[in-house]
Amino acid sequence: MSKTGFSDSAYAANEGGIAMVMGELMLVHLRRIYQAFDGDLMLAMILAEIAHYNMQDLVRGERFRNADIAAYVAENRLKPVNTLSLSQSCGIPRETLRRKIRTLVDAGLIQKNQDGSLHVTEKCLARFGPDFNKALLKDILTCSARLEPLLAEKNT
């Protein structure tokens, strides 16, 4: 058994079913993102990169356990990111990135500071925070419950 809690033989014995369950999870999530961003998946990816970068220091260690993300955003205590770093991490040309950032700023989802650094906003958290994450978490847990019997050793 691997560190992930299943054996390679259990996976191999049920690979098709596992792929279908995981594919369904991804499809539901991607559909939700597609709808939330009016079909612009690149916009969603860029916003996620900005949010992830902004909060990476916050989510390390014990601070993450009880982190009040909304307070960090409201107090502008997030780690800033710039378009060059984003372009490198996303693999998106800078000019395309700049246009997408303008769209996110105009929508009020990110703030562009005087120095060009970017932060997610309280509006972003309200729109993609608890309800969006709760729906994804429910889907992940449902997927996990469906995968467990497929990965049980007795099925191999």
Side-chain angles (χ1 to χ4, degrees), residues 71-96:
Y72 277 76
V73 171
E75 297 164 10
N76 201 19
R77 292 171 45 199
L78 301 175
K79 183 177 182 177
V81 64
N82 60 44
T83 54
L84 178 60
S85 296
L86 280 174
S87 179
Q88 291 171 344
S89 65
C90 295
I92 298 171
R94 278 190 272 177
E95 194 49 47
T96 302

mmCIF file of all heavy atoms in Angstrom, residues 71-96:
data_model
loop_
_atom_site.group_PDB
_atom_site.id
_atom_site.type_symbol
_atom_site.label_atom_id
_atom_site.label_comp_id
_atom_site.label_asym_id
_atom_site.label_seq_id
_atom_site.Cartn_x
_atom_site.Cartn_y
_atom_site.Cartn_z
ATOM 1 N N ALA A 71 -10.184 38.706 6.989
ATOM 2 C CA ALA A 71 -9.483 39.775 7.717
ATOM 3 C C ALA A 71 -8.176 40.123 7.018
ATOM 4 O O ALA A 71 -7.824 41.296 6.906
ATOM 5 C CB ALA A 71 -9.218 39.354 9.163
ATOM 6 N N TYR A 72 -7.465 39.105 6.532
ATOM 7 C CA TYR A 72 -6.211 39.372 5.825
ATOM 8 C C TYR A 72 -6.461 40.200 4.571
ATOM 9 O O TYR A 72 -5.701 41.105 4.245
ATOM 10 C CB TYR A 72 -5.510 38.061 5.449
ATOM 11 C CG TYR A 72 -4.689 37.482 6.566
ATOM 12 C CD1 TYR A 72 -5.287 36.838 7.640
ATOM 13 C CD2 TYR A 72 -3.310 37.594 6.550
ATOM 14 C CE1 TYR A 72 -4.527 36.310 8.667
ATOM 15 C CE2 TYR A 72 -2.540 37.065 7.572
ATOM 16 C CZ TYR A 72 -3.161 36.429 8.635
ATOM 17 O OH TYR A 72 -2.411 35.917 9.649
ATOM 18 N N VAL A 73 -7.539 39.887 3.856
ATOM 19 C CA VAL A 73 -7.865 40.640 2.643
ATOM 20 C C VAL A 73 -8.274 42.061 3.013
ATOM 21 O O VAL A 73 -7.790 43.028 2.423
ATOM 22 C CB VAL A 73 -8.969 39.936 1.835
ATOM 23 C CG1 VAL A 73 -9.458 40.816 0.687
ATOM 24 C CG2 VAL A 73 -8.456 38.598 1.299
ATOM 25 N N ALA A 74 -9.157 42.201 3.995
ATOM 26 C CA ALA A 74 -9.647 43.525 4.405
ATOM 27 C C ALA A 74 -8.503 44.418 4.880
ATOM 28 O O ALA A 74 -8.500 45.622 4.634
ATOM 29 C CB ALA A 74 -10.708 43.379 5.492
ATOM 30 N N GLU A 75 -7.528 43.810 5.551
ATOM 31 C CA GLU A 75 -6.394 44.574 6.091
ATOM 32 C C GLU A 75 -5.247 44.684 5.086
ATOM 33 O O GLU A 75 -4.192 45.208 5.406
ATOM 34 C CB GLU A 75 -5.904 43.904 7.376
ATOM 35 C CG GLU A 75 -6.952 43.898 8.478
ATOM 36 C CD GLU A 75 -6.612 42.898 9.583
ATOM 37 O OE1 GLU A 75 -5.487 42.347 9.599
ATOM 38 O OE2 GLU A 75 -7.491 42.660 10.433
ATOM 39 N N ASN A 76 -5.443 44.167 3.890
ATOM 40 C CA ASN A 76 -4.438 44.204 2.829
ATOM 41 C C ASN A 76 -3.104 43.617 3.303
ATOM 42 O O ASN A 76 -2.035 44.181 3.075
ATOM 43 C CB ASN A 76 -4.258 45.630 2.293
ATOM 44 C CG ASN A 76 -3.648 45.633 0.909
ATOM 45 O OD1 ASN A 76 -3.672 44.626 0.208
ATOM 46 N ND2 ASN A 76 -3.088 46.756 0.519
ATOM 47 N N ARG A 77 -3.175 42.452 3.977
ATOM 48 C CA ARG A 77 -1.983 41.794 4.507
ATOM 49 C C ARG A 77 -1.550 40.613 3.646
ATOM 50 O O ARG A 77 -0.822 39.748 4.092
ATOM 51 C CB ARG A 77 -2.268 41.322 5.934
ATOM 52 C CG ARG A 77 -2.448 42.472 6.890
ATOM 53 C CD ARG A 77 -2.949 42.064 8.262
ATOM 54 N NE ARG A 77 -2.280 40.908 8.824
ATOM 55 C CZ ARG A 77 -2.803 40.190 9.815
ATOM 56 N NH1 ARG A 77 -3.966 40.521 10.334
ATOM 57 N NH2 ARG A 77 -2.160 39.156 10.294
ATOM 58 N N LEU A 78 -1.987 40.590 2.401
ATOM 59 C CA LEU A 78 -1.661 39.486 1.518
ATOM 60 C C LEU A 78 -0.358 39.740 0.779
ATOM 61 O O LEU A 78 0.034 40.876 0.554
ATOM 62 C CB LEU A 78 -2.790 39.286 0.504
ATOM 63 C CG LEU A 78 -4.150 38.985 1.117
ATOM 64 C CD1 LEU A 78 -5.205 38.928 0.035
ATOM 65 C CD2 LEU A 78 -4.118 37.688 1.912
ATOM 66 N N LYS A 79 0.310 38.676 0.393
ATOM 67 C CA LYS A 79 1.563 38.776 -0.352
ATOM 68 C C LYS A 79 1.240 39.246 -1.771
ATOM 69 O O LYS A 79 0.470 38.607 -2.486
ATOM 70 C CB LYS A 79 2.240 37.413 -0.386
ATOM 71 C CG LYS A 79 3.580 37.421 -1.070
ATOM 72 C CD LYS A 79 4.221 36.053 -0.987
ATOM 73 C CE LYS A 79 5.593 36.078 -1.647
ATOM 74 N NZ LYS A 79 6.248 34.776 -1.517
ATOM 75 N N PRO A 80 1.822 40.364 -2.196
ATOM 76 C CA PRO A 80 1.506 40.881 -3.530
ATOM 77 C C PRO A 80 2.156 40.047 -4.630
ATOM 78 O O PRO A 80 3.149 39.364 -4.409
ATOM 79 C CB PRO A 80 2.088 42.294 -3.501
ATOM 80 C CG PRO A 80 3.186 42.227 -2.510
ATOM 81 C CD PRO A 80 2.767 41.219 -1.480
ATOM 82 N N VAL A 81 1.576 40.109 -5.801
ATOM 83 C CA VAL A 81 2.124 39.433 -6.982
ATOM 84 C C VAL A 81 2.089 40.432 -8.136
ATOM 85 O O VAL A 81 1.247 41.323 -8.166
ATOM 86 C CB VAL A 81 1.326 38.142 -7.309
ATOM 87 C CG1 VAL A 81 -0.102 38.447 -7.696
ATOM 88 C CG2 VAL A 81 2.021 37.314 -8.374
ATOM 89 N N ASN A 82 3.012 40.273 -9.072
ATOM 90 C CA ASN A 82 3.025 41.174 -10.230
ATOM 91 C C ASN A 82 2.782 40.380 -11.510
ATOM 92 O O ASN A 82 2.803 39.154 -11.512
ATOM 93 C CB ASN A 82 4.334 41.969 -10.292
ATOM 94 C CG ASN A 82 5.541 41.074 -10.418
ATOM 95 O OD1 ASN A 82 5.546 40.116 -11.185
ATOM 96 N ND2 ASN A 82 6.583 41.377 -9.663
ATOM 97 N N THR A 83 2.587 41.103 -12.602
ATOM 98 C CA THR A 83 2.248 40.440 -13.862
ATOM 99 C C THR A 83 3.389 39.576 -14.399
ATOM 100 O O THR A 83 3.126 38.541 -15.012
ATOM 101 C CB THR A 83 1.812 41.456 -14.932
ATOM 102 O OG1 THR A 83 2.814 42.449 -15.072
ATOM 103 C CG2 THR A 83 0.493 42.089 -14.590
ATOM 104 N N LEU A 84 4.624 39.962 -14.158
ATOM 105 C CA LEU A 84 5.743 39.146 -14.635
ATOM 106 C C LEU A 84 5.730 37.776 -13.954
ATOM 107 O O LEU A 84 5.839 36.743 -14.620
ATOM 108 C CB LEU A 84 7.083 39.855 -14.387
ATOM 109 C CG LEU A 84 8.326 39.071 -14.801
ATOM 110 C CD1 LEU A 84 8.300 38.758 -16.297
ATOM 111 C CD2 LEU A 84 9.589 39.838 -14.446
ATOM 112 N N SER A 85 5.576 37.772 -12.630
ATOM 113 C CA SER A 85 5.509 36.498 -11.904
ATOM 114 C C SER A 85 4.323 35.659 -12.368
ATOM 115 O O SER A 85 4.428 34.449 -12.540
ATOM 116 C CB SER A 85 5.393 36.744 -10.402
ATOM 117 O OG SER A 85 6.539 37.384 -9.912
ATOM 118 N N LEU A 86 3.190 36.318 -12.558
ATOM 119 C CA LEU A 86 2.004 35.605 -13.032
ATOM 120 C C LEU A 86 2.218 35.034 -14.426
ATOM 121 O O LEU A 86 1.835 33.893 -14.697
ATOM 122 C CB LEU A 86 0.792 36.535 -13.067
ATOM 123 C CG LEU A 86 0.086 36.781 -11.754
ATOM 124 C CD1 LEU A 86 -0.998 37.821 -11.934
ATOM 125 C CD2 LEU A 86 -0.507 35.502 -11.210
ATOM 126 N N SER A 87 2.801 35.819 -15.292
ATOM 127 C CA SER A 87 3.051 35.366 -16.651
ATOM 128 C C SER A 87 3.928 34.113 -16.644
ATOM 129 O O SER A 87 3.671 33.149 -17.378
ATOM 130 C CB SER A 87 3.720 36.476 -17.459
ATOM 131 O OG SER A 87 3.993 36.052 -18.766
ATOM 132 N N GLN A 88 4.934 34.117 -15.793
ATOM 133 C CA GLN A 88 5.833 32.963 -15.701
ATOM 134 C C GLN A 88 5.122 31.748 -15.116
ATOM 135 O O GLN A 88 5.286 30.640 -15.613
ATOM 136 C CB GLN A 88 7.058 33.326 -14.877
ATOM 137 C CG GLN A 88 7.957 34.318 -15.581
ATOM 138 C CD GLN A 88 9.065 34.853 -14.692
ATOM 139 O OE1 GLN A 88 9.031 34.734 -13.471
ATOM 140 N NE2 GLN A 88 10.068 35.466 -15.319
ATOM 141 N N SER A 89 4.315 31.939 -14.067
ATOM 142 C CA SER A 89 3.663 30.793 -13.436
ATOM 143 C C SER A 89 2.515 30.243 -14.275
ATOM 144 O O SER A 89 2.271 29.042 -14.273
ATOM 145 C CB SER A 89 3.183 31.144 -12.026
ATOM 146 O OG SER A 89 2.171 32.118 -12.066
ATOM 147 N N CYS A 90 1.807 31.111 -14.987
ATOM 148 C CA CYS A 90 0.661 30.674 -15.800
ATOM 149 C C CYS A 90 1.065 30.247 -17.204
ATOM 150 O O CYS A 90 0.321 29.525 -17.868
ATOM 151 C CB CYS A 90 -0.362 31.796 -15.948
ATOM 152 S SG CYS A 90 -1.170 32.319 -14.453
ATOM 153 N N GLY A 91 2.205 30.771 -17.682
ATOM 154 C CA GLY A 91 2.592 30.504 -19.053
ATOM 155 C C GLY A 91 1.751 31.287 -20.057
ATOM 156 O O GLY A 91 1.582 30.879 -21.194
ATOM 157 N N ILE A 92 1.211 32.410 -19.612
ATOM 158 C CA ILE A 92 0.365 33.257 -20.454
ATOM 159 C C ILE A 92 1.180 34.485 -20.852
ATOM 160 O O ILE A 92 1.809 35.101 -19.991
ATOM 161 C CB ILE A 92 -0.904 33.687 -19.682
ATOM 162 C CG1 ILE A 92 -1.734 32.462 -19.316
ATOM 163 C CG2 ILE A 92 -1.732 34.677 -20.495
ATOM 164 C CD1 ILE A 92 -2.887 32.760 -18.374
ATOM 165 N N PRO A 93 1.166 34.846 -22.124
ATOM 166 C CA PRO A 93 1.895 36.050 -22.539
ATOM 167 C C PRO A 93 1.458 37.275 -21.735
ATOM 168 O O PRO A 93 0.273 37.408 -21.382
ATOM 169 C CB PRO A 93 1.518 36.205 -24.017
ATOM 170 C CG PRO A 93 1.073 34.850 -24.450
ATOM 171 C CD PRO A 93 0.480 34.200 -23.236
ATOM 172 N N ARG A 94 2.408 38.159 -21.449
ATOM 173 C CA ARG A 94 2.124 39.320 -20.591
ATOM 174 C C ARG A 94 1.011 40.216 -21.113
ATOM 175 O O ARG A 94 0.207 40.716 -20.334
ATOM 176 C CB ARG A 94 3.392 40.125 -20.322
ATOM 177 C CG ARG A 94 4.194 39.511 -19.192
ATOM 178 C CD ARG A 94 5.291 40.416 -18.773
ATOM 179 N NE ARG A 94 6.445 40.102 -19.617
ATOM 180 C CZ ARG A 94 7.585 40.722 -19.577
ATOM 181 N NH1 ARG A 94 7.760 41.723 -18.746
ATOM 182 N NH2 ARG A 94 8.580 40.374 -20.345
ATOM 183 N N GLU A 95 0.952 40.415 -22.411
ATOM 184 C CA GLU A 95 -0.102 41.296 -22.944
ATOM 185 C C GLU A 95 -1.489 40.677 -22.748
ATOM 186 O O GLU A 95 -2.441 41.353 -22.373
ATOM 187 C CB GLU A 95 0.143 41.625 -24.418
ATOM 188 C CG GLU A 95 -0.705 42.771 -24.914
ATOM 189 C CD GLU A 95 -0.685 44.010 -24.004
ATOM 190 O OE1 GLU A 95 0.393 44.449 -23.576
ATOM 191 O OE2 GLU A 95 -1.778 44.538 -23.706
ATOM 192 N N THR A 96 -1.604 39.387 -22.973
ATOM 193 C CA THR A 96 -2.874 38.694 -22.715
ATOM 194 C C THR A 96 -3.217 38.791 -21.241
ATOM 195 O O THR A 96 -4.360 39.069 -20.866
ATOM 196 C CB THR A 96 -2.774 37.210 -23.140
ATOM 197 O OG1 THR A 96 -2.432 37.146 -24.515
ATOM 198 C CG2 THR A 96 -4.068 36.470 -22.880
#
